[in-house]
Amino acid sequence: MPAVNPLTAQRPERRRYRRGIRGVSIIAVLAAIASIAIVLAVGFASFREFATSQHAREDLIYSSTIRADLQSIYEQILAAESATRGFIITGEPEFMPPLVEDREAILRKLREVTVFAVERPEHVAALARLNRLADAELRLLQEMIDARQRADTSPIATMIQVRQGKAIMDHIAETVQDIADAEIAAIAERTREVRIVGQRTKQTLLMLLAAAIAVVCGSTVIMIAHLLGRRRAEQALGDTLSRHRAILSSAMDSILTVDAGGSIDSANPATTRLLGWTPEELSGRHLSALFRIPADQTGDGFFDALSTAASQGGGVRELVGLRKDGSTVPVDVAIGEMRASGGRSLLAVLHDITERKRAEVMKNEFVSTVSHELRTPLTSIAGSLGLLAGGATGTLPERAQRLVTIAAQNCQRLVRLINDILDIEKMQSATITFARQTVSLAEVAKRAVDQTGGFALEHDVSLSLNLGPGDTSVTGDSDRLIQVLTNLISNAVKFSPAGSTVEVNVARAGAGVRATVRDHGTGIPESFRPSIFTRFAQADSSDTRQRGGTGLGLAIAKEIVDRHDGALSFETEMGVGTAFHMDLPAARPAAPDAAPEPQAVAAAPPPLPAPPPAQEPEPEPEPEPAAGPGDVLLVEDNPDNADVIRAMLERTGIRADVAGTAAQAERQAHALAYKAILVDLGLPDRDGISLIRSLRRAEGTRTIPILIVSARASGGALPPGEAEALQILDWIEKPVDPALLSAAVRRAMPDGGRAAILHLDDDPSVRAVVRAALAPTMEVWSTATLQEARAALAERDFDAAILDLGLPTGSGRELLPHLRRRDGEKMPVVIFSARDQDPELARQVDAMLTKSQVSLEILAATVGRLVKPPAPGGTV
Ligand code: ADP
């Protein structure tokens, strides 16, 4: 099986190598061109040389022929003349030449030579003269012979004729000699030319030879240099290859190469250690076979997602690896893309995160231990100090009072710090679940302004709330959003000068909703701006002491906003002020009777089913508490905390009995009619939630107001919807704030001055928003079915009822005949339904409101008008 293709990691060597190859190719082409040119030049030079000599040879033959012919003609004429002279002198006929035939033959031959010498235009004149002279001579000879034969010639005349013939012969000899000389000169010239051409050809050939040698030598040198370079590149490549092999085989993480289709090409030894498969067994397998595929994906879909992630620059994801033996291992998978000569492939690096997971679990356990172990003692410390400082044990000496006040304030700071640390830990470990309900951001802002009003007053800063037009609904967790705005407002107040105003604005902004908190304070220093959202970041470290912050508030706020898919941003100018913006996506407008949020419903256990047979063994009857029954029952196992909380409640006139275990709590709750029960979640015999469940199932305690007082924070401690299903009215976090505690208990007690409203609606989100809208002034008892509503009516008194008509099991109007207050009066009824108005029904009830047409404020105001005026509450 080949190792991971190192070529992908050898960029410099590969580049050098490629450059070398390209260089050699260019040189080879140039050398070939040069060689062809040299061969052509050699051929041309040789051809020229050959042609020139051939031409010269032909010329020489031509010239010799002309000269030989002329010489022979001359000799023939000369012979004729000698014979003629012999005949004249002797008169002997044997000397008489056959002149007539000779003359014809000589002249013919002369004409032939003339035609043959046509290529020698310079001889034209000489040849014409020769023709004339030959003709004249031969004629003269004939005349002389004729005269001798006739014997009428005088010796003088003969003498003259002989002289004439001699002169003509001299001319002929001269002309023939001229032509021969000219020919010889021409041949000499030709020979010289041939020699020059030959020399030139020799030079050319020598030059070409030199060029050929240069080309051969040059290419050889370059070839050798290239071969050496290639050798070096191959060596470097080999070194890198073995380095990479060493890295791969000694890597702690599993490294796999995968082709574009998902088949594994190679795997390093760490893969065998991690997953148990050998590289040979893995070769050709599909990558997705190494992981547990998420239920909503197929193998191909899973690989496609990885492949897409790789092409977008890679990334790391947490997956569950499958070992050969069937066991699983958590892994971080980093996926990257490789482009090699064979096409695209992927590189997957698998890192075993078992240890990290274990550490995470340990950290979470540690956080929860800290949560409980630190908060429980702090409850009694902070509570006791608060009571001492508040004068619960009588007036303290002035010095002691000051010291106790300092201790109480610092204890509160410690509490805030611990709460913030736990909050951010939970958020970052994602153990916290946020509710996802439709929430009006305007409502959130109102409540945040309400909650921070006192703080602003202390700092002499006014708060102004401005709500823009339009729907400001967002989807999320209203408590968490209130927490964000509360933090932003209290920061704004802290950093504002006395007498100034902090504005809180909520308005639609494009496709979202924006809440802005603007102050006219110090502004945020330039250097601090980039780190403002990091944990424990404060522009001025003395803020902790002077302004009581922890530096965690904005980090938590940002985390919450991020988890709502929103954005937290700010604008600031030194000395002018700061504006923080929380932008959230607007909620999709939902029909009022829309299907309930699936999360909330799925998690909620069936509300108040018929009571099952009690699981606990029948309790032994407890001796009556000596002090007589209190107003409320406090279920708390830590005696110190129990004492402190009881003392806090007593300060506001609420008497509390204490039960240390769940079993004791159940017995007391059934034996005595408490107005409310306060439950701590960590009880020695049973979890507080399970106690609440059995109280809710049992006759007699089904509708009793229950509050939780716990070191566990409310968000995330229960599955979404569970608190509502169990009708938990409030959740007071430890360490307990005395004011919050007694206000909550007072609100929960039926005679706490608040009207009790029965609400019937099958939609959990409607139940939640109605409860939120009415909660500040009324106690809302939410029921989802007719059966639940009837059970609630049988157990307790209500001041008014809000009914939905379209229930899956019937209509709210079926309850109308049973709606009587305990004093016999008819109970005011408001129909709050998505159904059309029914005039017949309208006569029987006090108000008919249509969902989506009226706001919750109108519903709250309508119900508020109908219930009896609240009784004056106790002083808190
Ligand atoms: P803290 O609990 O200390 O207020 P935060 O995270 O809420 O922690 O704020 C961190 C720091 O950011 C503050 O200490 C302060 O220096 C700066 N800061 C936050 N809000 C403002 C503001 N409105 N004006 C000026 N400075 C601010």
Side-chain angles (χ1 to χ4, degrees):
M1 172 162 190
V4 171
N5 184 353
L7 278 178
T8 49
Q10 311 297 312
R11 294 257 159 83
E13 283 85 354
R14 231 169 83 200
R15 249 199 318 270
R16 230 175 295 146
Y17 190 79
R18 278 214 198 120
R19 251 204 320 262
I21 295 276
R22 212 167 28 237
V24 166
S25 314
I26 292 171
I27 289 163
V29 168
L30 289 180
I33 292 173
S35 310
I36 292 170
I38 289 171
V39 168
L40 286 177
V42 167
F44 175 72
S46 312
F47 177 77
R48 196 182 55 182
E49 169 71 12
F50 172 77
T52 310
S53 6
Q54 176 75 13
H55 210 202
R57 214 166 23 250
E58 283 171 2
D59 223 24
L60 196 61
I61 293 167
Y62 184 68
S63 173
S64 325
T65 311
I66 291 175
R67 274 185 291 143
D69 286 356
L70 287 179
Q71 189 60 34
S72 121
I73 289 169
Y74 173 70
E75 277 165 11
Q76 279 179 353
I77 297 172
L78 198 61
E81 195 218 8
S82 301
T84 305
R85 215 179 291 152
F87 175 68
I88 291 169
I89 293 168
T90 61
E92 289 291 327
E94 69 184 278
F95 284 104
M96 199 174 71
L99 255 185
V100 179
E101 300 91 66
D102 281 359
R103 187 172 161 247
E104 284 307 312
I106 287 169
L107 288 178
R108 197 169 58 246
K109 182 120 191 213
L110 199 54
R111 275 197 305 278
E112 279 171 14
V113 171
T114 307
V115 170
F116 183 68
V118 72
E119 281 177 37
R120 293 279 203 269
E122 66 270 27
H123 296 333
V124 168
L127 284 171
R129 194 166 66 239
L130 197 59
N131 271 299
R132 266 197 326 275
L133 288 172
D135 191 46
E137 175 67 11
L138 290 172
R139 260 184 226 286
L140 185 67
L141 292 179
Q142 191 64 51
E143 277 171 22
M144 283 164 74
I145 289 169
D146 291 348
R148 179 73 171 96
Q149 280 173 339
R150 280 192 317 265
D152 62 351
T153 175
S154 69
I156 296 206
T158 308
M159 195 65 131
I160 289 167
Q161 279 176 326
V162 167
R163 283 242 171 93
Q164 263 181 349
K166 170 119 177 38
I168 291 170
M169 277 313 289
D170 286 350
H171 274 309
I172 288 173
E174 211 175 294
T175 306
V176 167
Q177 193 56 49
D178 281 354
I179 291 174
D181 287 350
E183 275 305 309
I184 285 164
I187 290 301
E189 176 61 20
R190 199 98 192 119
T191 313
R192 204 174 61 83
E193 273 173 18
V194 168
R195 206 169 40 245
I196 289 169
V197 168
Q199 262 166 4
R200 226 182 278 151
T201 307
K202 206 159 87 192
Q203 276 169 2
T204 310
L205 286 177
L206 280 175
M207 267 160 54
L208 290 173
L209 184 68
I213 290 170
V215 166
V216 168
C217 291
S219 341
T220 311
V221 167
I222 290 168
M223 279 300 207
I224 290 171
H226 162 69
L227 285 177
L228 289 176
R230 193 167 115 163
R231 209 51 204 268
R232 271 199 301 276
E234 276 171 0
Q235 264 165 2
L237 212 59
D239 290 350
T240 321
L241 202 65
S242 51
R243 202 161 52 234
H244 281 248
R245 278 211 189 99
I247 293 171
L248 283 177
S249 53
S250 54
M252 305 277 283
D253 288 343
S254 153
I255 302 173
L256 299 149
T257 56
V258 182
D259 70 15
S263 299
I264 296 170
D265 282 336
S266 72
N268 68 341
T271 311
T272 313
R273 290 196 293 274
L274 179 69
L275 299 175
W277 304 94
T278 62
E280 289 72 25
E281 287 169 331
L282 284 175
S283 178
R285 261 171 189 269
H286 200 268
L287 182 69
S288 57
L290 300 187
F291 302 103
R292 184 189 283 159
I293 312 275
D296 57 341
Q297 277 181 1
T298 59
D300 283 344
F302 172 79
F303 176 73
D304 289 348
L306 285 184
S307 175
T308 314
S311 58
Q312 288 166 353
V316 180
R317 60 183 62 193
E318 209 179 295
L319 294 170
V320 179
L322 294 177
R323 291 208 182 91
K324 187 180 177 182
D325 61 10
S327 60
T328 58
V329 54
V331 283
D332 261 352
V333 180
I335 193 97
E337 195 178 34
M338 289 193 306
R339 295 221 172 255
S341 52
R344 174 182 185 265
S345 49
L346 302 184
L347 187 75
V349 180
L350 278 58
H351 178 68
D352 184 351
I353 55 168
T354 314
E355 276 312 312
R356 193 179 82 200
K357 287 269 155 196
R358 215 185 328 241
E360 262 171 29
V361 170
M362 276 165 61
K363 195 189 85 181
N364 289 345
E365 278 168 5
F366 175 73
V367 166
S368 102
T369 309
V370 166
S371 148
H372 212 84
E373 297 306 314
L374 224 49
R375 282 174 162 195
T376 306
L378 267 177
T379 306
S380 50
I381 299 171
S384 305
L385 286 172
L387 287 170
L388 280 176
T393 54
T395 316
L396 296 175
E398 196 185 322
R399 261 173 66 96
Q401 175 71 36
R402 215 177 55 243
L403 292 176
V404 167
T405 308
I406 290 171
Q409 280 169 355
N410 279 282
C411 202
Q412 284 309 325
R413 228 171 65 203
L414 189 56
V415 168
R416 268 200 304 278
L417 181 63
I418 289 171
N419 286 347
D420 280 357
I421 291 175
L422 292 174
D423 235 13
I424 197 140
E425 279 305 328
K426 260 185 305 183
M427 258 176 244
Q428 297 202 331
S429 66
T431 51
I432 196 161
T433 39
F434 285 6
R436 290 191 58 76
Q437 284 162 343
T438 305
V439 181
S440 152
L441 206 56
E443 191 57 38
V444 164
K446 262 190 226 160
R447 296 193 31 204
V449 167
D450 281 351
Q451 287 184 15
T452 42
F455 184 70
L457 207 63
E458 275 172 34
H459 286 77
D460 189 18
V461 171
S462 10
L463 300 181
S464 111
L465 175 65
N466 312 301
L467 304 177
D471 182 12
T472 59
S473 301
V474 296
T475 305
D477 189 320
S478 67
D479 288 344
R480 289 296 179 179
L481 295 176
I482 291 172
Q483 184 182 350
V484 173
L485 286 188
T486 310
N487 181 267
L488 297 181
I489 297 171
S490 52
N491 275 348
V493 167
K494 275 195 286 186
F495 294 95
S496 285
S500 67
T501 303
V502 167
E503 296 141 34
V504 180
N505 304 326
V506 178
R508 296 281 310 204
V513 186
R514 167 173 273 202
T516 299
V517 177
R518 188 183 300 280
D519 65 51
H520 304 282
T522 53
I524 300 165
E526 177 96 51
S527 59
F528 179 59
R529 289 172 201 167
S531 53
I532 191 159
F533 293 117
T534 46
R535 299 175 184 199
F536 297 110
Q538 288 182 321
D540 177 355
S541 53
S542 64
D543 281 356
T544 311
R545 269 165 285 119
Q546 287 175 4
R547 310 191 202 248
T550 59
L552 284 169
L554 285 178
I556 296 173
K558 173 125 183 26
E559 197 71 36
I560 294 173
V561 176
D562 285 351
R563 297 273 293 266
H564 279 80
D565 300 325
L568 191 59
S569 57
F570 63 93
E571 298 161 44
T572 183
E573 197 176 328
M574 290 305 284
V576 176
T578 306
F580 274 88
H581 307 289
M582 173 171 79
D583 287 289
L584 295 173
R588 264 174 294 131
D593 264 354
E597 279 288 322
Q599 251 179 316
V601 169
L608 303 183
Q615 310 217 328
E616 309 284 317
E618 255 329 291
E620 290 287 310
E622 277 273 308
E624 282 282 293
D631 297 310
V632 298
L633 175 64
L634 172 64
V635 190
E636 166 68 67
D637 61 324
N638 182 307
D640 290 350
N641 284 350
D643 278 353
V644 171
I645 294 171
R646 188 158 57 182
M648 285 175 178
L649 290 170
E650 266 165 18
R651 292 265 297 152
T652 60
I654 301 167
R655 281 170 303 130
D657 290 347
V658 175
T661 62
Q664 191 192 345
E666 263 188 305
R667 284 196 298 274
Q668 269 180 248
H670 286 111
L672 302 166
Y674 288 109
K675 293 173 183 163
I677 303 180
L678 281 67
V679 181
D680 177 23
L681 294 183
L683 296 172
D685 53 343
R686 217 165 127 197
D687 185 53
I689 294 295
S690 114
L691 166 68
I692 297 172
R693 276 200 196 107
S694 47
L695 289 174
R696 284 287 175 244
R697 281 196 294 259
E699 207 73 52
T701 52
R702 183 171 292 164
T703 58
I704 190 161
I706 295 179
L707 297 92
I708 288 177
V709 182
S710 171
R712 283 188 227 162
S714 58
L718 288 182
E722 174 97 10
E724 196 215 41
L726 290 175
Q727 308 271 14
I728 290 165
L729 294 186
D730 227 321
W731 190 301
I732 298 145
E733 282 183 30
K734 284 182 186 168
V736 173
D737 178 322
L740 283 181
L741 173 77
S742 46
V745 174
R746 208 155 268 290
R747 272 201 307 272
M749 283 161 51
D751 59 356
R754 301 188 324 148
I757 312 295
L758 175 73
H759 180 209
L760 171 62
D761 198 303
D762 62 320
D763 184 332
S765 46
V766 175
R767 292 203 296 275
V769 293
V770 168
R771 173 194 284 268
L774 272 59
T777 52
M778 290 168 246
E779 181 203 341
V780 181
W781 197 260
S782 311
T783 54
T785 62
L786 283 170
Q787 189 197 3
E788 273 176 51
R790 285 199 190 101
L793 283 165
E795 256 180 38
R796 59 172 292 182
D797 196 14
F798 289 100
D799 297 302
I802 303 172
L803 304 179
D804 184 19
L805 296 179
L807 300 167
T809 53
S811 165
R813 67 200 305 169
E814 290 172 41
L815 280 183
L816 289 178
H818 312 284
L819 294 176
R820 295 253 149 228
R821 291 214 303 244
R822 212 150 268 184
D823 56 12
E825 288 291 306
K826 188 177 158 291
M827 193 187 296
V829 176
V830 175
I831 301 290
F832 186 52
S833 167
R835 293 279 173 95
D836 285 341
Q837 305 294 335
D838 171 356
E840 158 70 30
L841 182 63
R843 276 194 293 279
Q844 299 174 36
V845 300
D846 300 83
M848 281 194 85
L849 304 176
T850 308
K851 284 176 186 170
S852 83
Q853 279 179 9
V854 296
S855 67
L856 290 167
E857 283 84 0
I858 293 179
L859 175 72
T862 310
V863 178
R865 261 201 327 276
L866 291 170
V867 296
K868 59 175 187 198
T875 35
V876 174

